Amino acid sequence: MNEASSYKICNRCVMDTNTDCFISFDDDGYCNHCEDYLSRTEKANISADNAELAWAQIVKNIQRKGKDREYDCIVGVSGGVDSSYTAHLCKVWGLRPLLLHMDNGWDTEISVKNIKTIADKLDFDYASYVLDWNEFREIQLAFLKSSIVDLEMPTDIAITASIYETAARHDINYIVSGGDASGEGILPLQMGYHVYKDMKLYRHIVRKFSSKPLETIPTAGLLKDIFYKFIKNIRTVYPLNYLSYNKDEARNFLIKTYGWKDYGGKHHESKITAFWQSYAMPVKYKMDYRRVTLSSQICAGQVQRVEALEMLKANPYDDAKIEDDKKYIAKKYGISLEELEGFLSLPPKTFLDFPNQRRLIELIHKSYNTLYKRKRI
């Protein structure tokens, strides 16, 4: 990996040495992130020619497995573009999903209205999995105090756990996810380790930085992931990766068709996520989350590099409202503004600074992907 101190940016996407200090470049000036993205999409072999047929077969499998059951799949909804559009597509395909939202206390009013609007107009059942705010606040505060960049790890783990638990309760075998490679295909590990759902790291931080034990907040790490996938036979599928999906077009469609409301940037349906990605990450960690999204879109052919570079010239956060955001977050956490500023000024850390299961998780995932590929063949 290249750890050169001189600044460098990829010649294809917009990933740079500021966003990822471990980034590497080939002789053409292309970074490891976009090269890996293009290699993965090529290996997936989901071309425009076979994607429609491949997804049609998956839909048949979902309907067959869910026959005579109340629901044939479950869709996690946040009020954002991807999950809302995925719910719409379920209606188009004749699926019978249960829409599930995990409420961690940070939802914006717009996102809540969007969820209800989509559920009502599609006539789908909707359930809300509400976390105990007092306990979740302590857990997330522990991550804030630890100074790790992955503040959203508790949320991501709780989302996965709540969906798994609900799917198992209703005997649902398929999770239809709004995950989208064109917007999330590139994410450096040190700024996105939360996707690993590492319970060793999670428990270490909670025990070290909080006095409140884990009691009610659902978790799903490596062992539970294996249990739900192999014992309960619950599979996650990603329809947006089979389509010619364009987020801007989907957003406009939702607004025009359902009266859906725009909430701003990527993942800004959550107040804490909006603050963390637009302010804390670029200011404290020197990680501009817009670069990973735009780089994914460049590789997917949805954004031109010159356009992305122009977008990045704008400030990632609103100077006029950032102080109000800090006051709101401090009050929500039950701490003073000075305490919040103190936590934000601590030396930045990543998963590398804490006990973790990275090697084991990567080994298990690699083995699972190999077995799953053989099963498909």
Side-chain angles (χ1 to χ4, degrees):
M1 292 292 184
N2 177 22
E3 297 185 65
S5 58
S6 58
Y7 178 79
K8 192 170 182 180
I9 184 171
C10 179
N11 288 337
R12 178 191 286 124
C13 66
V14 289
M15 291 298 292
D16 64 358
T17 48
N18 285 344
T19 305
D20 179 12
C21 63
F22 298 110
I23 193 172
S24 61
F25 301 89
D26 63 18
D27 293 338
D28 294 318
Y30 298 151
C31 77
N32 58 299
H33 295 296
C34 61
E35 285 289 291
D36 178 62
Y37 176 96
L38 294 172
S39 175
R40 281 186 285 113
T41 53
E42 182 180 353
K43 288 179 181 178
N45 195 32
I46 303 176
S47 66
D49 295 331
N50 65 20
E52 187 175 342
L53 289 175
W55 180 250
Q57 184 57 54
I58 292 175
V59 169
K60 289 181 181 178
N61 292 339
I62 295 173
Q63 292 172 326
R64 177 177 55 81
K65 274 284 191 178
K67 187 179 180 181
D68 299 326
R69 298 178 186 175
E70 188 175 10
Y71 310 107
D72 55 21
C73 60
I74 187 169
V75 178
V77 289
S78 66
V81 177
D82 298 339
S83 62
S84 298
Y85 193 70
T86 298
H88 156 76
L89 290 175
C90 285
K91 191 72 171 183
V92 173
W93 294 319
L95 296 176
R96 297 176 290 104
L98 169 64
L99 305 186
L100 179 73
H101 174 61
M102 195 281 294
D103 182 356
N104 67 353
W106 288 107
D107 293 332
T108 63
E109 291 182 12
I110 291 177
S111 67
V112 173
K113 289 180 180 178
N114 281 344
I115 293 170
K116 292 180 179 178
T117 295
I118 291 296
D120 289 344
K121 294 196 174 182
L122 292 175
D123 195 26
F124 286 153
D125 285 348
Y126 157 69
S128 181
Y129 194 116
V130 182
L131 302 185
D132 180 288
W133 169 245
N134 290 326
E135 184 178 338
F136 183 77
R137 176 188 61 197
E138 290 299 317
I139 293 172
Q140 201 169 53
L141 266 175
F143 275 74
L144 180 64
K145 294 173 184 177
S146 76
S147 203
I148 193 171
V149 66
D150 296 285
L151 182 75
E152 291 285 60
M153 180 178 282
T155 296
D156 276 18
I157 287 177
I159 288 173
T160 300
S162 64
I163 292 176
Y164 270 144
E165 286 182 15
T166 306
R169 189 181 312 121
H170 291 277
D171 199 21
I172 297 171
N173 290 113
Y174 279 90
I175 299 169
V176 179
S177 171
D180 166 35
S182 68
E184 304 171 331
I186 291 177
L187 186 63
L189 192 57
Q190 68 270 22
M191 69 185 294
Y193 189 71
H194 52 273
V195 302
Y196 272 47
K197 300 175 180 61
D198 188 330
M199 288 306 299
K200 181 177 182 179
L201 183 150
Y202 181 98
R203 291 192 179 97
H204 171 83
I205 288 179
V206 173
R207 288 167 181 165
K208 184 174 181 179
F209 296 97
S210 173
S211 59
K212 191 172 183 65
L214 295 171
E215 295 176 341
T216 67
I217 301 301
T219 59
L222 185 61
L223 292 179
K224 284 189 178 179
D225 196 46
I226 292 173
F227 169 76
Y228 283 115
K229 283 180 177 177
F230 292 97
I231 306 302
K232 302 301 291 185
N233 196 29
I234 298 174
R235 181 177 300 175
T236 303
V237 293
Y238 302 87
L240 300 185
N241 291 340
Y242 289 79
L243 309 175
S244 179
Y245 178 67
N246 183 289
K247 196 184 193 83
D248 291 333
E249 293 177 0
R251 180 185 293 107
N252 293 333
F253 174 84
L254 291 170
I255 292 171
K256 182 178 179 181
T257 307
Y258 298 110
W260 183 94
K261 302 295 183 183
D262 194 8
Y263 50 84
K266 184 175 178 61
H267 296 315
H268 285 200
E269 60 268 38
S270 164
K271 293 178 182 178
I272 191 62
T273 308
F275 172 79
W276 199 253
Q277 290 186 357
S278 65
Y279 177 77
M281 289 182 71
V283 172
K284 175 175 179 173
Y285 301 91
K286 310 304 178 187
M287 298 175 179
D288 192 335
Y289 203 91
R290 295 176 301 172
R291 286 188 181 273
V292 300
T293 301
L294 289 169
S295 292
S296 298
Q297 291 175 326
I298 289 170
C299 290
Q302 296 184 2
V303 174
Q304 295 297 315
R305 185 173 183 272
V306 64
E307 294 177 286
L309 290 171
E310 192 63 30
M311 293 178 195
L312 289 169
K313 291 179 181 179
N315 199 337
Y317 59 90
D318 186 347
D319 281 307
K321 65 186 289 291
I322 195 62
E323 293 306 316
D324 288 337
D325 291 344
K326 289 180 180 179
K327 291 176 183 176
Y328 173 84
I329 288 168
K331 183 178 181 180
K332 181 80 173 175
Y333 276 140
I335 60 177
S336 68
L337 182 58
E338 290 72 23
E339 286 178 298
L340 176 62
E341 293 284 11
F343 296 141
L344 292 174
S345 65
L346 292 172
K349 294 183 180 181
T350 70
F351 75 96
L352 295 170
D353 297 296
F354 301 93
N356 64 75
Q357 293 178 301
R358 174 191 174 185
R359 293 181 183 277
L360 177 60
I361 292 172
E362 289 180 341
L363 176 63
I364 296 296
H365 283 182
K366 183 178 180 180
S367 300
Y368 171 77
N369 289 334
T370 300
L371 288 170
Y372 179 56
K373 183 178 180 180
R374 288 177 181 172
K375 185 177 180 180
R376 284 187 301 173
I377 293 173

